[in-house]
Amino acid sequence: MSPTPPYDQLPVERSMLRDFLSLPPAARREIREKIRALSLSRGLTYQKEAGVTEAMNLVPLPAVMPASEARHIARLCREMIAVVKGIWTLYPSSPALKRVLPLAPREEEWISECRHHGRSVRQPIIYRMDADMPLAAPGAAGKARFFESNSVAVGGMLYGPVAESIVSDVTLRALYGRRGLPSLGRHFDTRLFVLGELVGHARALGRRGLTIAVLEDTRWETGITEMPSLVKFFRRIGLRAYLADPGELAVRRGEVCCRGRVIDVAYRNFEIRDLFDRGDADGGLLGLKELFKKNQVVSSLAGDLDHKSLLEVFTSEEFGPLFSRGRRERLARHIPWTRLIYGRHTADPEGRRVDLPRFARARRERLVLKPNRLCGGEGVALGPETTQRDWERILDRAMREPGEWVVQEWVDNTVKLLPSRWGGGAYRALPQYTTYGFIAAPHGVGVVGRACVDRVVNIASGGALLPVFAC
């Protein structure tokens, strides 16, 4: 079960790759075309400029994760989520938390007006925890390093299981017949987890009906297309579900309605701050605000603390009292040192007191700079791949924008040898960097794998979805 250096490959992965590359080029091209067709029909798509919908890049073979490691990862994710929910409870009265998790004044205003107080208030959040993890290494989960969390506009909850289904139906069937590989299984379907969270929350609130609104800002013309497909999935299993812009919500007789239907629970695909450049950000969003006040939104307002600087809470002694020493030490092994950038002194990764800006300038080759609240790899500067001059220029910008950037300990990406599209429509094996997003459910974990020839692994900038199976 150990990898073959330098690639992170289990024996079953090497076997599948060998079998795949032994197919005639025409057979590999046929697989590629079938994958593209199924991607378009099953919603594995991305919206480009000018309204063009394209099939996402999809690695035609799966990575493989031992089931025991998946269970370990699920436990770690649930522990981290428990800590974060506790942070939300303490946030209003903690200057230290507000300092490392800064919100804009209008966000503070919204949250102050809509938040529910008390430790017993249910705060449903859909989390995806992103990590580097050598799947083929012995004790792989023990080597996972979580570099980011996502709790609003969580991508991949539909793409993950759909990618698994396509590769199972096309590639594995072409290689091994209708049964595929009996030794491989699928991970938990995250669409069902999202549905379970919505249904459970509606019932906990005493809602008798089950009408779901999936809310997305319809002004967005590019990006992922999961929300329409998620609505179709809900409808296929017999639920009343609507895709709606938050501006379509209205309050009637104390209930929030969408197109004349009373909404019982809503899933949102935006942060609160995303709405502030709308002309209707106040009066036109009264329905959305009422949903928040009634605690009918998943993820709740607690989801808006998904800053990258959230990881500072796990890696700074200042926040040690927030959770037990055992939990802190257990989780700290899995989280790279992270600090929000502004002029201050803090502990470095070795625990020494340092001037943060000076330390960041001197240790470029072991650090990464990231915008605190952007996604998709935007603005990320990898110290080993950035010149000192450019590094200092970005760091100077970060110092002019306090609270907008983080500096993080460098984490070496795991590399797999994977089939990648090549000229003529066939494939060839290329080394690719990998990352994994984990969505932990009570009885399993969903996995969204991604692979790219560049270290900043992102689908929007040329990467591909990597289905992950269990063994």
Side-chain angles (χ1 to χ4, degrees):
M1 297 286 282
S2 61
T4 300
Y7 304 124
D8 179 52
Q9 309 284 141
L10 285 165
V12 67
E13 293 173 309
R14 291 197 295 271
S15 176
M16 285 191 292
L17 181 61
R18 182 181 63 247
D19 293 344
F20 180 81
L21 295 176
S22 69
L23 292 172
R28 278 180 272 150
R29 283 194 291 271
E30 183 179 0
I31 286 173
R32 177 175 174 175
E33 288 307 311
K34 285 183 177 179
I35 285 176
R36 180 180 179 278
L38 283 181
S39 295
L40 290 171
S41 65
R42 296 184 185 179
L44 199 71
T45 54
Y46 194 90
Q47 190 82 15
K48 295 284 191 178
E49 299 288 347
V52 176
T53 299
E54 293 185 357
M56 275 191 165
N57 291 336
L58 176 60
V59 178
L61 285 176
V64 179
M65 181 178 183
S68 59
E69 305 303 328
R71 289 191 293 270
H72 188 169
I73 281 291
R75 288 194 296 271
L76 283 173
C77 289
R78 287 196 292 270
E79 278 203 89
M80 286 187 279
I81 291 167
V83 172
V84 175
K85 287 187 175 182
I87 289 170
W88 172 248
T89 303
L90 298 172
Y91 185 84
S93 59
S94 173
L97 286 173
K98 288 186 175 183
R99 189 166 59 249
V100 299
L101 298 167
L103 295 171
R106 292 188 72 184
E107 287 180 288
E108 290 264 23
E109 184 180 327
W110 256 76
I111 288 173
S112 177
E113 186 175 347
C114 299
R115 79 171 283 139
H116 299 262
H117 299 276
R119 291 179 180 271
S120 61
V121 175
R122 184 181 170 93
Q123 296 289 349
I125 308 175
I126 306 292
Y127 267 102
R128 192 191 78 215
M129 314 298 286
D130 290 350
D132 178 84
M133 179 175 168
L135 299 187
K143 299 176 175 65
R145 302 294 301 280
F146 293 89
F147 55 82
E148 190 174 318
S149 69
N150 299 267
S151 55
V152 179
V154 176
M157 58 192 180
L158 180 130
Y159 289 152
V162 170
E164 291 172 24
S165 73
I166 292 172
V167 168
S168 179
D169 291 347
V170 178
T171 314
L172 297 187
R173 181 172 292 189
L175 291 175
Y176 308 113
R178 294 183 63 87
R179 293 188 64 212
L181 274 178
S183 61
L184 299 186
R186 303 261 291 277
H187 286 289
F188 188 79
D189 190 327
T190 44
R191 295 171 296 184
L192 296 176
F193 171 57
V194 174
L195 177 59
E197 288 293 293
L198 292 169
V199 172
H201 190 54
R203 296 297 178 246
L205 295 176
R207 306 295 301 187
R208 295 182 178 180
L210 190 57
T211 298
I212 300 169
V214 176
L215 302 176
E216 184 170 65
D217 192 332
T218 56
R219 300 172 308 159
W220 296 345
E221 296 179 348
T222 61
I224 64 173
T225 60
E226 285 189 298
M227 295 307 105
S229 298
L230 189 64
V231 169
K232 290 177 183 177
F233 175 76
F234 290 159
R235 287 177 174 173
R236 279 201 306 272
I237 59 179
L239 297 174
R240 288 190 300 273
Y242 301 92
L243 179 67
D245 184 273
E248 293 184 63
L249 302 176
V251 182
R252 296 179 183 173
R253 299 178 183 177
E255 293 281 7
V256 179
C257 301
C258 178
R259 300 168 198 163
R261 289 275 191 176
V262 172
I263 298 302
D264 294 293
V265 66
Y267 176 82
R268 61 165 169 145
N269 191 40
F270 51 81
E271 296 178 68
I272 294 301
R273 68 188 185 124
D274 293 335
L275 305 175
F276 292 152
D277 62 347
R278 294 171 59 117
D280 60 356
D282 295 311
L285 296 178
L286 293 178
L288 176 64
K289 188 170 285 190
E290 186 68 14
L291 275 181
F292 275 115
K293 289 180 179 179
K294 290 175 173 289
N295 198 20
Q296 290 174 246
V297 183
V298 180
S299 289
S300 71
L301 288 168
D304 285 85
L305 295 184
D306 71 340
H307 310 184
K308 295 178 181 67
S309 57
L310 179 65
L311 298 187
E312 178 169 344
V313 177
F314 291 90
T315 60
S316 172
E317 291 285 350
E318 180 180 8
F319 301 102
L322 294 183
F323 39 107
S324 71
R325 181 173 180 176
R327 173 173 279 182
R328 171 178 164 73
E329 290 177 351
R330 186 164 54 252
L331 296 179
R333 292 194 293 267
H334 297 279
I335 297 173
W337 176 89
T338 306
R339 291 294 186 270
L340 186 69
I341 297 178
Y342 60 93
R344 60 164 168 158
H345 287 76
T346 187
D348 71 4
E350 287 75 42
R352 298 169 301 200
R353 192 80 174 164
V354 295
D355 177 274
L356 181 62
R358 185 177 300 172
F359 172 81
R361 290 180 195 279
R363 292 285 291 270
R364 168 183 60 81
E365 292 186 353
R366 296 306 303 165
L367 299 173
V368 180
L369 291 173
K370 301 179 179 181
N372 190 27
R373 301 186 66 182
L374 297 182
C375 60
E378 184 177 347
V380 174
L382 307 177
E385 298 184 358
T386 304
T387 66
Q388 187 66 28
R389 180 178 180 180
D390 285 344
W391 180 262
E392 294 192 9
R393 176 179 54 79
I394 298 168
L395 190 55
D396 287 341
R397 175 184 172 183
M399 290 297 295
R400 293 193 302 270
E401 301 172 350
E404 296 294 327
W405 293 76
V406 299
V407 59
Q408 190 173 81
E409 185 182 359
W410 168 268
V411 175
D412 286 322
N413 300 68
T414 301
V415 179
K416 283 186 173 291
L417 191 63
L418 297 167
S420 180
R421 294 192 207 182
W422 201 249
Y427 294 92
R428 66 178 293 183
L430 291 176
Q432 298 190 53
Y433 299 103
T434 59
T435 63
Y436 306 96
F438 299 105
I439 302 176
H443 306 295
V445 65
V447 187
V448 185
R450 288 164 291 179
C452 191
V453 294
D454 297 323
R455 282 191 182 271
V456 179
V457 180
N458 186 261
I459 292 172
S461 57
L465 280 168
L466 173 63
V468 182
F469 282 53
C471 69

